[in-house]
Amino acid sequence: SMAAHLAELVEPGTLMVFNDSRVRKARIYGEALDTGAKVEFLLLRRLSDDAWEASAAKLRRQRPGRRYRFPEGIEAEVLAEEGQCPSSADTRVIRFHPPIDEAYLERAGHVPLPPYIKREDRLSDEERYQTVYARALGSAACPTAGLHFTEELLASLDARGVERAAVTLHVGLGTFLPVRSEKVEEHSMHEEEYTVPPATAAAVMRAKAEGRSVLAVGTTSLRSLESAWTEAGLAAGSGRTRIFIYPGYRFKAVDRLFTNFHTPRSTLLMLVSAFAGRER
């Protein structure tokens, strides 16, 4: 397979940067108290102790004030807003009573498989829809470029003298919402949380100083690095990014990109087009 030969394509001395975000079981199924209709929510991020930002299968019907019942007797309702987060065209704010935690999602939630996988999630997906190096829990979808990497492949990269570092970007709607506006630049990205550890910032700056390539594994790693770039170089720390990269963008941190297939009309296809050149 291509992956088996990947190590041979990476120059020794390259710094590969991986997104170590771990997918939570962010899909939950419940029923609407008013009609008994089945509803499906995808939890994107926790806003407060009991409130979450979520997207939903039949979003227009999930209006503020609507109430639901979820497994284990948990109830919830849609709020107009929470803090700085209003219910919007693409997301809803949901409050749970009692509040739910990660342990609850581990028990009652489902693996948020992408829509092109046309089957229910299985127990094996809990491991298979996760990169082997996933660590920091918080994504609503897997940073899929990383699924190609096995422990064996990582070991062969190490043996070849390839350096590895990690960033964390929790994948949310910003990564995969289609572009609906006619003018590309009018598309507004959803914010996603990212962290660049000090060791990674130092490794990137060292590679740059020594003329070694920085290879981002996946568009989320690339977006984290480009978001954290300042006039003084790569800044360590956490932030929220809505960076939208399309042709005309000048890349500052990243020299190489390893990425997956991308869907038509997606911001990711535009990012790859900006990186590789539109003609390609």
Side-chain angles (χ1 to χ4, degrees):
S1 74
M2 179 70 194
H5 299 292
L6 176 69
E8 296 161 29
L9 295 176
V10 181
E11 284 171 42
T14 298
L15 172 64
M16 292 183 82
V17 182
F18 296 81
N19 179 6
D20 66 6
S21 179
R22 197 171 173 80
V23 184
R24 64 159 59 99
K25 290 166 79 174
R27 180 169 276 154
I28 56 171
Y29 298 99
E31 58 180 45
L33 293 185
D34 53 358
T35 62
K38 290 262 181 290
V39 289
E40 174 194 333
F41 284 104
L42 180 66
L43 300 181
L44 299 170
R45 63 186 172 114
R46 185 194 293 278
L47 299 170
S48 63
D49 178 45
D50 59 356
W52 289 72
E53 182 182 18
S55 67
K58 296 187 174 74
L59 197 72
R60 280 199 300 275
R61 293 183 200 169
Q62 321 312 330
R63 287 184 279 278
R66 199 169 193 202
R67 303 173 65 85
Y68 311 89
R69 184 179 293 112
F70 291 101
E72 301 181 20
I74 301 279
E75 298 210 348
E77 67 177 307
V78 179
L79 306 182
E81 62 184 302
E82 167 73 22
Q84 295 302 299
C85 188
S87 280
S88 72
D90 296 306
T91 62
R92 293 292 180 264
V93 175
I94 310 172
R95 172 176 287 152
F96 292 91
H97 349 246
I100 60 171
D101 57 12
E102 299 292 358
Y104 173 81
L105 291 176
E106 249 335 286
R107 296 192 305 273
H110 293 261
V111 179
L113 294 179
Y116 50 80
I117 295 182
K118 309 280 187 209
R119 59 167 176 77
E120 292 298 298
D121 60 295
R122 309 178 185 132
L123 197 59
S124 61
D125 293 325
E126 292 185 23
E127 201 177 334
R128 293 190 64 206
Y129 190 58
Q130 207 75 269
T131 61
V132 297
Y133 46 80
R135 184 192 55 81
L137 191 67
S139 276
C142 185
T144 50
L147 289 174
H148 297 280
F149 292 82
T150 59
E151 295 295 358
E152 295 75 23
L153 178 52
L154 294 173
S156 64
L157 287 162
D158 291 345
R160 206 173 147 73
V162 171
E163 192 185 358
R164 287 194 275 138
V167 292
T168 305
L169 181 139
H170 293 314
V171 184
L173 282 187
T175 296
F176 49 79
L177 264 191
V179 175
R180 301 194 195 95
S181 39
E182 277 307 303
K183 289 203 175 77
V184 167
E185 49 277 15
E186 284 170 10
H187 175 78
S188 161
M189 298 280 281
H190 274 262
E191 284 192 332
E192 292 169 309
E193 295 169 35
Y194 73 90
T195 301
V196 176
T200 300
V204 167
M205 295 314 288
R206 204 164 49 239
K208 292 270 174 221
E210 294 168 7
R212 295 182 285 116
S213 290
V214 174
L215 191 167
V217 175
T219 54
T220 57
S221 303
L222 181 148
R223 288 178 60 235
S224 299
L225 293 170
E226 293 294 321
S227 295
W229 191 263
T230 68
E231 290 189 355
L234 191 66
S238 295
R240 307 183 54 75
T241 181
R242 47 178 356 139
I243 190 171
F244 175 24
I245 294 173
Y246 50 87
Y249 180 85
R250 296 185 60 130
F251 293 84
K252 302 156 199 86
V254 177
D255 309 294
R256 303 267 189 278
L257 173 65
F258 176 87
T259 190
N260 245 3
F261 291 113
H262 296 291
T263 52
R265 298 189 74 86
S266 65
T267 62
L268 302 184
L269 197 57
M270 293 173 192
L271 182 157
V272 175
S273 181
F275 193 85
R278 235 179 126 149
E279 294 68 31
R280 289 203 184 100

